Amino acid sequence: MVTLLIGAGLIILGIVVITHDRRTFLSGLLPFLGLLTWLTGLIPVWLASTLFVIVLPLGILGEVLTHDGYWLLSRYGTSTKGYFFLVGGFLVMVFAPLFPVLWLLWRSVLIVKLMLAIYGYVAVLIDAYLLATVINALPLTIKPTKILILGAGLIEGGVGPVLRRRLLGGLALYQCFPKAELIMSGGQGDDEPEPEAVAMHRFARQKGVPESAIRLETNSTNTATNLSEAKRFINSGDRVVLVTSDYHLLRSLLYARRQGVNCQGLAVHTPHFTFTCNAFIRELGAYTIIHRYLIPLGLVLVIILCLI
């Protein structure tokens, strides 16, 4: 009964966070922990952990690492990095079905306990980040006055598949709210002939968007500066929708929140499964760098609890 109450409390707290401002990692972490706590009160702990904490993130991580290793070896030949990803990804996938065996037979062995605890911590981060991304991709509840489309790398000097999908998603929203302004945000990389925003502007004009409806931000170099530079086009009373790829959504909204840009997100689907998983893992890595002190501290606390 106590376990079920704790789980319900975490879920309710998560709903409060989501209602207030869902642009936070807690919007995924609290409901996930609540659901996991609930399940541990209804079914064996090892089964709940295996189904919702271990198998899903391990399967995704292992598949992506293996694919990356194969791609690196096939494209660049023999390399330490390629073999590391290929072998490491395969071992990660193999570990998934072994988890319940290790839990049932050797969980009292210190090294096994530490290994399961460390992986469990990482897996919770992956699952919670994924859930927070899904929650922030829920349908919009505002009528935008500004539509901020984030840039992506140009391919052969033009709009590539990822950026094209972001633009089409933003323009489709603009068609529903034609009084809104479009903010094209993207600077010029070292390998790009022009700022991304300029190519985005040209794409929008070719689709019939009037010049008066477009604002260009051409100074940014990454996601954080996308938001800081685009702020000059946003007024305090504006209702902003940020448009970007699904895997990129949560981190973009977190930066927006840090920059004081009040907005909701529109996630544009990325169809290639492996690319999406790969990009999602990179996003989680970038998020870890943002919280380079807090996340390692959490891992240290988990290890200490295992040793007690």
Side-chain angles (χ1 to χ4, degrees):
M1 178 60 72
V2 174
T3 302
L4 295 179
L5 289 175
I6 293 175
L10 287 170
I11 292 174
I12 292 171
L13 186 58
I15 293 173
V16 171
V17 169
I18 293 168
T19 303
H20 174 67
D21 189 345
R22 62 194 187 190
R23 300 174 301 165
T24 169
F25 178 68
L26 291 177
S27 66
L29 180 62
L30 291 172
F32 176 77
L33 291 178
L35 177 62
L36 187 62
T37 304
W38 238 355
L39 288 171
T40 57
L42 299 173
I43 61 178
V45 174
W46 69 268
L47 181 58
S49 300
T50 299
L51 292 177
F52 292 92
V53 183
I54 303 301
V55 174
L56 177 62
L58 269 185
I60 293 175
L61 181 62
E63 188 274 337
V64 171
L65 291 176
T66 304
H67 178 274
D68 282 358
Y70 175 78
W71 181 83
L72 286 170
L73 292 173
S74 61
R75 180 161 183 173
Y76 299 107
T78 301
S79 68
T80 302
K81 185 176 181 180
Y83 282 116
F84 175 80
F85 282 123
L86 183 67
V87 177
F90 176 76
L91 292 176
V92 166
M93 285 192 292
V94 169
F95 180 76
L98 292 178
F99 179 86
V101 177
L102 292 172
W103 175 267
L104 288 172
L105 299 181
W106 296 295
R107 63 180 180 273
S108 59
V109 178
L110 181 59
I111 187 66
V112 174
K113 184 189 296 185
L114 285 174
M115 181 175 65
L116 297 179
I118 291 171
Y119 176 72
Y121 179 77
V122 174
V124 166
L125 290 180
I126 295 174
D127 284 342
Y129 194 91
L130 178 59
L131 180 57
T133 298
V134 171
I135 288 172
N136 277 278
L138 292 174
L140 302 173
T141 61
I142 61 174
K143 297 180 179 180
T145 58
K146 299 286 174 65
I147 300 171
L148 171 59
I149 306 177
L150 300 190
L154 302 181
I155 305 297
E156 297 180 354
V159 172
V162 172
L163 183 52
R164 178 183 176 84
R165 284 184 168 269
R166 294 184 186 181
L167 285 165
L168 291 176
L171 295 182
L173 183 63
Y174 171 76
Q175 294 299 321
C176 297
F177 302 98
K179 293 184 178 180
E181 286 186 342
L182 288 164
I183 304 174
M184 307 298 189
S185 178
Q188 183 175 359
D190 295 336
D191 58 345
E192 295 174 323
E194 62 182 357
E196 294 161 10
V198 173
M200 296 162 71
H201 168 268
R202 186 165 55 247
F203 184 95
R205 293 288 288 128
Q206 290 171 352
K207 296 295 183 180
V209 179
E211 182 72 34
S212 60
I214 303 174
R215 300 289 179 268
L216 298 186
E217 179 286 296
T218 60
N219 298 321
S220 57
T221 56
N222 52 38
T223 304
T225 54
N226 277 143
L227 276 304
S228 61
E229 292 290 335
K231 279 179 64 177
R232 68 177 184 269
F233 300 113
I234 299 172
N235 302 316
S236 59
D238 278 326
R239 299 181 298 275
V240 183
V241 172
L242 184 153
V243 183
T244 189
S245 305
D246 44 13
Y247 61 83
H248 187 235
L249 181 68
L250 180 58
R251 187 163 64 92
S252 301
L253 291 173
L254 293 175
Y255 276 124
R257 187 180 186 187
R258 283 189 167 195
Q259 296 287 349
V261 178
N262 188 21
C263 65
Q264 292 186 10
L266 176 64
V268 179
H269 177 56
T270 307
H272 195 299
F273 176 74
T274 300
F275 174 81
T276 303
C277 292
N278 192 331
F280 174 78
I281 290 172
R282 292 201 308 270
E283 287 295 311
L284 183 60
Y287 175 78
T288 303
I289 293 173
I290 295 173
H291 295 282
R292 62 178 63 89
Y293 303 114
L294 183 61
I295 290 178
L297 177 61
L299 180 58
V300 170
L301 292 176
V302 167
I303 293 174
I304 291 174
L305 289 174
C306 284
L307 297 176
I308 295 177

